[in-house]
């Protein structure tokens, strides 16, 4: 699946609910940072526990995904092309090509929700997010 991933500055919950109303959409998933399994290597400050880790909004048969950013994003620089697939080899191949002369935001590695997950900006200035599902 190819989609859009929007990053917000601590107001994702409000934005998704606004978009749901504006477009007669349906929020099909909303996970908060407090829903993550505890991990001593990734502690979550109390003030961040209610931020959105991952949300999915369906609008007229299409889907937009979004989350609160851990860093302040710049308007216009807060969107990713998101690739979600079970094809791990495709993710590894695309990652290997697009990281060349690019900037890695989150290294491609296993996570609690996917076999592989990572994000980068390619040399053309496009933000990409890759997820290989379990």
């Amino acid at each position: 699946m190819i989609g859009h991933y929007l990053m917000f500055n601590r107001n994702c919950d409000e934005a998704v609910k606004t978009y749901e109303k504006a477009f007669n959409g349906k929020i099909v998933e909303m996970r908060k940072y407090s829903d993550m399994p505890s991990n001593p290597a990734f502690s979550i400050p109390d003030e961040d526990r209610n931020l959105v880790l991952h949300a999915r909004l369906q609008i007229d048969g299409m889907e937009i995904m979004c989350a609160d950013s851990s860093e302040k994003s710049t308007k216009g620089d807060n969107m990713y092309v998101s690739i979600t697939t079970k094809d791990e080899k495709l993710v590894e191949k695309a990652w290997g090509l697009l990281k060349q002369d690019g900037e890695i935001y989150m290294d491609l590695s296993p996570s609690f929700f996917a076999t592989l997950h990572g994000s980068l900006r390619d040399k053309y200035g496009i933000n990409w997010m890759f997820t290989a599902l379990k």
Side-chain angles (χ1 to χ4, degrees), residues 64-126:
I64 294 174
M65 297 177 287
C66 48
D68 281 306
S69 178
S70 59
E71 298 178 11
K72 185 136 177 90
S73 57
T74 307
K75 290 179 182 179
D77 193 27
N78 55 347
M79 187 173 80
Y80 292 75
V81 177
S82 174
I83 307 294
T84 305
T85 179
K86 290 186 177 185
D87 189 343
E88 197 172 318
K89 290 193 185 316
L90 173 68
V91 167
E92 290 172 336
K93 176 186 174 189
W95 179 269
L97 288 169
L98 296 182
K99 76 176 185 179
Q100 294 175 20
D101 298 322
E103 177 184 352
I104 295 173
Y105 298 133
M106 179 185 295
D107 208 4
L108 189 65
S109 61
S111 74
F112 73 95
F113 60 89
T115 305
L116 293 172
H117 180 75
S119 59
L120 58 81
R121 176 181 296 167
D122 68 21
K123 67 181 178 182
Y124 308 106
I126 303 300

Side-chain angles (χ1 to χ4, degrees), residues 8-113:
F8 292 89
N9 291 317
R10 307 183 74 82
N11 59 355
C12 182
D13 187 285
E14 177 186 353
V16 170
K17 289 175 181 172
T18 299
Y19 299 155
E20 180 182 41
K21 288 178 188 173
F23 298 108
N24 296 321
K26 179 172 174 55
I27 297 170
V28 294
E29 182 179 11
M30 174 103 54
R31 293 181 186 226
K32 304 289 179 116
Y33 276 87
S34 60
D35 297 329
M36 280 179 50
S38 100
N39 179 347
F42 186 77
S43 62
I44 301 164
D46 286 342
E47 64 270 14
D48 292 350
R49 295 186 59 73
N50 204 36
L51 294 178
V52 176
L53 174 66
H54 178 71
R56 294 174 33 229
L57 174 65
Q58 289 184 343
I59 301 170
D60 195 28
M62 297 175 286
E63 186 170 276
I64 294 174
M65 297 177 287
C66 48
D68 281 306
S69 178
S70 59
E71 298 178 11
K72 185 136 177 90
S73 57
T74 307
K75 290 179 182 179
D77 193 27
N78 55 347
M79 187 173 80
Y80 292 75
V81 177
S82 174
I83 307 294
T84 305
T85 179
K86 290 186 177 185
D87 189 343
E88 197 172 318
K89 290 193 185 316
L90 173 68
V91 167
E92 290 172 336
K93 176 186 174 189
W95 179 269
L97 288 169
L98 296 182
K99 76 176 185 179
Q100 294 175 20
D101 298 322
E103 177 184 352
I104 295 173
Y105 298 133
M106 179 185 295
D107 208 4
L108 189 65
S109 61
S111 74
F112 73 95
F113 60 89

